[in-house]
Amino acid sequence: MKHLLFVIIAPFSFSLSANSQTYFQQEVDYRIDVQLYDQENILRGFEEFDYKNNSKDALAFIYVHLWPNGYKNNETALAKQLYLMDDMSLEYAAEGDRGYIDSLGFKVDGKDVSWMYDADHVDICKIELAEPLKPGESITVSTPFKVKIPSGDISRLGFVEESYQVTQWYPKPAVYDLDGWHQMPYLTQGEFYSEYGTFDVSITLPKNYVVGATGDLQTASEIEFLNERVKTTTANFKDDKFSSETKFGRALRSFPESDTALKTIRFTQKDVHDFAWFADKRFEVLKGEVELPNSGEIVTSWAMFVPHHSKLWENAIEYLNDATHYYSLWNGDYPYKHVTAVDGTISAGGGMEYPNITVIGNAGSKEELEVVIVHEVGHNWFYGLLGSNERDHAWMDEGLNTLNEIRYMQTKYPNNKRMSDMASGIVGKLHFEDLNHHHMSDLTFSMMSSYGIDQPIELGSNDYTPVNYGAIVYAKTGLVFMYLKDYLEDAEFDKAMQAYYDEWHYKHPQPADIRKTIEKETGKDLGWLFEDLIQTTKQIDYKIKSAKIGETTSTVKVKNIGQINSPVRVDALSFGQVRESIWIEPGEKVSEVTFKGTSYDQFVLDANRQMPEANRNNNYWTKKGLFHRTEPFKMELIGGDNEGNNWNNFWMPAIGVNTYDKFMIGAIFHNQTLPKNKLEYTLAPMFSIGRLNLAGFGDINYSWVPAKNIRTITLGVLGKTFGNGLEFSTEGNVPATYYTVQPYLNFELGKPNVHKFYKHRLQLKGHYILEKGVALENSLSGASLNYGFKYNKRVHSINAGLRLDYYDAINNSNTGGVVGPLSSDLMNLGIEFEYTLEYWDRKNKTISIRAFMGQNLFSNGTKADRYGFALGGQTGTQDVTYEQYMFGRNQASGLWNNQRLENQGGFKTTSDFVTNGSMFTTNIYAELPYIPIIGAYADFGMFDQAGTMQTVSTAGLGVRFSDRLGIYFPLYESDNLKASFLDGIKYGEKIRFTLNLSGISLSKLIPRFL
Ligand SMILES: [Zn+2]
């Protein structure tokens, strides 16, 4: 049978391999001589590389990367990406801070060839070969080159004063693989993909530079020079020379003069795919060694750092050694002779990896330095040895590396509180307790996923929002593989990862390759991981349906209410400790597991929080009490994280103030936390001193993340009661009260994408409003449809909104200029559009133009001005539905009478003009160059009053502290506007201000990247 099968398959497999190529990779061997001219920030050099074609194709040309050209002008892919990320460092860079590569003259086997820049990217070129390069053949390509080093503030290649980070600096062929050429422009967000080969690099520079580089140092005098440095650094530590930075102060930071004498040092390395070097005259040097866990080979470790960071770096050798040990243990031994970390200022994140050497940005603490060093050293495996295509599948290096980084922290510091330590620095002593390094990834990812603003793991680097690049590529992938490790258990998982290492090191694995290896090793179908968790934003959500503790066994029913069919672990606990665990394999919607014991008091899904699950509130069952699935109630001060297996609530004291309530004293109770709860509430009951009555507000809503293009849908109801001005009665002025009940349904639209700068929201809101005093009783019921659009980009932004209101109002008394009783029902349409242009380079000055159109669509009964459109209305006339915070809603005089709102006519000068017909206005505001916070405004308006169109205009100066706080001084009013003012109005009474505490202006939506 076997034999027969073989015969049938043999010709078939032969034809397959004849038509489609099997795995291959090209080889590139470099020889580079380069000299650093540190006075001019220039490198001059000569490069020669042998390119061997191992493919089955004849190559007519070769793509070569010229990445220093990414820094050349504002048209490069790098410049465009930085601009997308609101980083203007290249856009606004001075000429001396830009970079480029020139003086090129490519030759192939010593003969001139024709070569040209890529039409779209000046940092890619194409060398046309005179003869196609046949399979198995090699050519030698050579060129002189000159690199102008850019400022280190922009990205990875750069100078910071006289410190040099020389990365992605030489002409380098793009990868040619089974999918063809992978030429790519240089980017900050988005890494690399390079061919393996050997490097032989000689660097010439002033003698007193300390250099860290890829490869083994071949120059004996330089080895001696470094060993001398190690001696002085060690002595300096011993003599406590670094103990006080202030003692040595500037001396530690300043650069010594460059030696006039030069030195040439040579490095060589095989089986790597990049070469980077770092030079700084100030570097202190520490040296150590680590024995590899499998082979017993010795690896030398080097740490190079500036003197004023010495205290921080004093244990760097330990971090390097431990990282090398654990990564070797879990994945496979480190095959190179040294592992080095250098101290640098890096603008592309906390650190950056190159073969053998990593550059570390400014770390705030030793703990942070250790994590960054471990992570970057770890890239020697996930990037260096396993050379995946980082640009297209960034998770294969960053995500798998994050898994190892989390595991390192868990192994070396099992009781670490790293996330809590960081949170206490950032948000004070809020309740972020017992959060370790793993929780950092967990919270980052689940925050994005609970708001529906995450992106899939498998996505091109340039398509992520900067937040998601961290939260998804790093954090979620790390969590997904921690989950797999937990499911497979360590031994099985390590076996699979080591098989991946054995099969793919020094090669270019693709996503399908790692899947194939792990599935083969474990014998499991991992579609739930490699398809659902990696390729989609589908969410995992399991819940305990029921549990029963019987005579001899206990059973737990688990229901999958999520979008992924993955394994889930059920933990049986007693006295808070996990006693028994059972994994449910992917399969049924509802599963039942049986535990052998009966002495348990809790059942919890994934008690150790290893699953990337956003909603953990339904993972709990307790023996105690009537409501077995209700987590224990917990109330903490102010705020904190959403702890697993607690029902987290928070409270804080509250005081409020407005003209009618005077002071209010009370408390705010809420459950807003991370990860977000689906059911959220905020209740703020207060006691009003002014009215001797209850005041406050409450909001309760349920939100969820549907599929496709909606981020979240929220259904909720908001209620408020506060003082509402004074009722004018025969007995004098008496305080009145208002009550609102407003149910709402919000659709946050548009999934995030860094290339899309807009977001929009649709809201349906109902209104029931009652204003009540002694004789006063006005009511309004109605509904609004709101659509807001925001386009946000440096230089240009647009806010636009549409609002359709229906009101059914009954007024019984004299309020807001309306003499009751009246009854009216009406419908209004308002449309606004605002364009803001950043017009003054680098100083962030803006000019904005807003247009508004308001139109009454119909009205029955009394046409009440109160429900119309106001030009620049005083007090609450522009807020019929009580959605804004106002301190003196119905004040006829005094300070709070001059609070203005940005909606409707938007006039900055006060005006009594109101229409219940049509209104058109234009509002212009320009921040003045050179003078901080001062701007000029001009408002134009047309509106119909008793059937005729009126035209109004005004202009003045503004002092704006932010979008929410501004003061406006009128300088000019048109005659009809002037005539409308009260007789004897003083200038001071015309000064108006914006104080926007609610931010619910039609179009002001959530921040761009939340
Ligand atoms: Zn990384």
Short mmCIF file of all heavy atoms in Angstrom, two decimals, residues 599-617:
data_model
loop_
_atom_site.label_atom_id
_atom_site.label_comp_id
_atom_site.label_asym_id
_atom_site.label_seq_id
_atom_site.Cartn_x
_atom_site.Cartn_y
_atom_site.Cartn_z
N SER A 599 -14.21 20.17 47.33
CA SER A 599 -13.92 21.12 48.41
C SER A 599 -13.56 22.50 47.89
O SER A 599 -12.77 23.21 48.48
CB SER A 599 -12.77 20.58 49.26
OG SER A 599 -11.64 20.43 48.43
N TYR A 600 -14.13 22.87 46.74
CA TYR A 600 -13.80 24.17 46.15
C TYR A 600 -14.81 25.22 46.56
O TYR A 600 -15.98 24.92 46.79
CB TYR A 600 -13.77 24.05 44.62
CG TYR A 600 -12.80 22.99 44.14
CD1 TYR A 600 -13.22 21.97 43.30
CD2 TYR A 600 -11.47 23.03 44.56
CE1 TYR A 600 -12.34 21.00 42.87
CE2 TYR A 600 -10.58 22.05 44.12
CZ TYR A 600 -11.02 21.03 43.28
OH TYR A 600 -10.14 20.09 42.87
N ASP A 601 -14.34 26.46 46.63
CA ASP A 601 -15.30 27.54 46.93
C ASP A 601 -15.47 28.54 45.78
O ASP A 601 -16.32 29.39 45.82
CB ASP A 601 -14.92 28.27 48.23
CG ASP A 601 -13.47 28.71 48.26
OD1 ASP A 601 -12.90 28.89 47.15
OD2 ASP A 601 -12.92 28.86 49.36
N GLN A 602 -14.61 28.41 44.76
CA GLN A 602 -14.76 29.29 43.58
C GLN A 602 -14.35 28.55 42.31
O GLN A 602 -13.46 27.70 42.36
CB GLN A 602 -13.79 30.48 43.69
CG GLN A 602 -14.27 31.60 44.57
CD GLN A 602 -13.19 32.68 44.69
OE1 GLN A 602 -12.22 32.73 43.94
NE2 GLN A 602 -13.37 33.54 45.67
N PHE A 603 -15.00 28.91 41.22
CA PHE A 603 -14.54 28.48 39.89
C PHE A 603 -14.30 29.75 39.08
O PHE A 603 -15.14 30.65 39.07
CB PHE A 603 -15.56 27.58 39.20
CG PHE A 603 -15.78 26.29 39.94
CD1 PHE A 603 -16.94 26.11 40.69
CD2 PHE A 603 -14.82 25.29 39.93
CE1 PHE A 603 -17.14 24.94 41.40
CE2 PHE A 603 -15.01 24.11 40.64
CZ PHE A 603 -16.17 23.94 41.38
N VAL A 604 -13.14 29.81 38.43
CA VAL A 604 -12.80 31.02 37.68
C VAL A 604 -12.23 30.61 36.33
O VAL A 604 -11.46 29.65 36.23
CB VAL A 604 -11.75 31.86 38.46
CG1 VAL A 604 -11.32 33.08 37.67
CG2 VAL A 604 -12.28 32.28 39.82
N LEU A 605 -12.63 31.31 35.28
CA LEU A 605 -12.03 31.07 33.97
C LEU A 605 -10.73 31.86 33.91
O LEU A 605 -10.72 33.06 34.22
CB LEU A 605 -12.97 31.56 32.86
CG LEU A 605 -14.35 30.90 32.80
CD1 LEU A 605 -15.15 31.47 31.61
CD2 LEU A 605 -14.22 29.39 32.67
N ASP A 606 -9.66 31.18 33.56
CA ASP A 606 -8.38 31.85 33.34
C ASP A 606 -7.98 32.72 34.53
O ASP A 606 -7.78 33.92 34.41
CB ASP A 606 -8.50 32.72 32.06
CG ASP A 606 -7.20 33.38 31.67
OD1 ASP A 606 -6.15 32.75 31.86
OD2 ASP A 606 -7.24 34.52 31.15
N ALA A 607 -7.88 32.08 35.70
CA ALA A 607 -7.62 32.83 36.94
C ALA A 607 -6.32 33.63 36.87
O ALA A 607 -6.21 34.68 37.49
CB ALA A 607 -7.56 31.86 38.12
N ASN A 608 -5.34 33.15 36.11
CA ASN A 608 -4.06 33.88 36.03
C ASN A 608 -4.04 34.95 34.94
O ASN A 608 -3.00 35.52 34.66
CB ASN A 608 -2.92 32.90 35.78
CG ASN A 608 -2.79 31.90 36.91
OD1 ASN A 608 -3.12 32.23 38.05
ND2 ASN A 608 -2.36 30.69 36.59
N ARG A 609 -5.18 35.15 34.32
CA ARG A 609 -5.31 36.20 33.29
C ARG A 609 -4.29 36.05 32.17
O ARG A 609 -3.53 36.98 31.87
CB ARG A 609 -5.21 37.58 33.93
CG ARG A 609 -6.29 37.83 34.95
CD ARG A 609 -6.12 39.16 35.66
NE ARG A 609 -6.42 40.28 34.76
CZ ARG A 609 -6.61 41.52 35.19
NH1 ARG A 609 -6.55 41.79 36.47
NH2 ARG A 609 -6.87 42.48 34.34
N GLN A 610 -4.22 34.89 31.57
CA GLN A 610 -3.30 34.68 30.45
C GLN A 610 -3.98 34.87 29.11
O GLN A 610 -3.32 35.05 28.09
CB GLN A 610 -2.69 33.27 30.51
CG GLN A 610 -1.83 33.01 31.72
CD GLN A 610 -0.51 33.75 31.68
OE1 GLN A 610 -0.05 34.17 30.63
NE2 GLN A 610 0.09 33.95 32.84
N MET A 611 -5.33 34.78 29.09
CA MET A 611 -6.05 34.91 27.82
C MET A 611 -6.22 36.38 27.47
O MET A 611 -6.52 37.18 28.35
CB MET A 611 -7.45 34.30 27.94
CG MET A 611 -7.50 32.83 27.70
SD MET A 611 -9.06 32.14 28.29
CE MET A 611 -10.24 33.08 27.40
N PRO A 612 -6.04 36.74 26.21
CA PRO A 612 -6.34 38.12 25.82
C PRO A 612 -7.86 38.32 25.72
O PRO A 612 -8.43 38.31 24.64
CB PRO A 612 -5.66 38.27 24.46
CG PRO A 612 -5.48 36.89 23.95
CD PRO A 612 -5.53 35.94 25.09
N GLU A 613 -8.49 38.46 26.87
CA GLU A 613 -9.95 38.58 26.92
C GLU A 613 -10.30 39.94 27.51
O GLU A 613 -9.83 40.29 28.60
CB GLU A 613 -10.50 37.46 27.81
CG GLU A 613 -12.01 37.34 27.75
CD GLU A 613 -12.56 36.30 28.73
OE1 GLU A 613 -11.89 36.00 29.73
OE2 GLU A 613 -13.68 35.82 28.49
N ALA A 614 -11.12 40.70 26.80
CA ALA A 614 -11.41 42.06 27.26
C ALA A 614 -12.43 42.06 28.40
O ALA A 614 -12.33 42.86 29.32
CB ALA A 614 -11.92 42.91 26.11
N ASN A 615 -13.40 41.17 28.35
CA ASN A 615 -14.46 41.17 29.36
C ASN A 615 -14.26 40.00 30.31
O ASN A 615 -14.61 38.87 30.01
CB ASN A 615 -15.82 41.09 28.66
CG ASN A 615 -16.96 41.05 29.66
OD1 ASN A 615 -16.81 41.51 30.81
ND2 ASN A 615 -18.08 40.50 29.24
N ARG A 616 -13.71 40.30 31.50
CA ARG A 616 -13.46 39.23 32.47
C ARG A 616 -14.50 39.23 33.58
O ARG A 616 -14.37 38.50 34.55
CB ARG A 616 -12.08 39.41 33.10
CG ARG A 616 -10.94 39.16 32.12
CD ARG A 616 -9.68 38.77 32.85
NE ARG A 616 -8.63 38.39 31.92
CZ ARG A 616 -7.77 39.23 31.39
NH1 ARG A 616 -7.81 40.49 31.72
NH2 ARG A 616 -6.85 38.81 30.54
N ASN A 617 -15.54 40.08 33.43
CA ASN A 617 -16.51 40.18 34.53
C ASN A 617 -17.44 38.98 34.63
O ASN A 617 -18.19 38.85 35.59
CB ASN A 617 -17.36 41.45 34.37
CG ASN A 617 -16.49 42.69 34.37
OD1 ASN A 617 -16.46 43.44 33.40
ND2 ASN A 617 -15.74 42.88 35.44
#
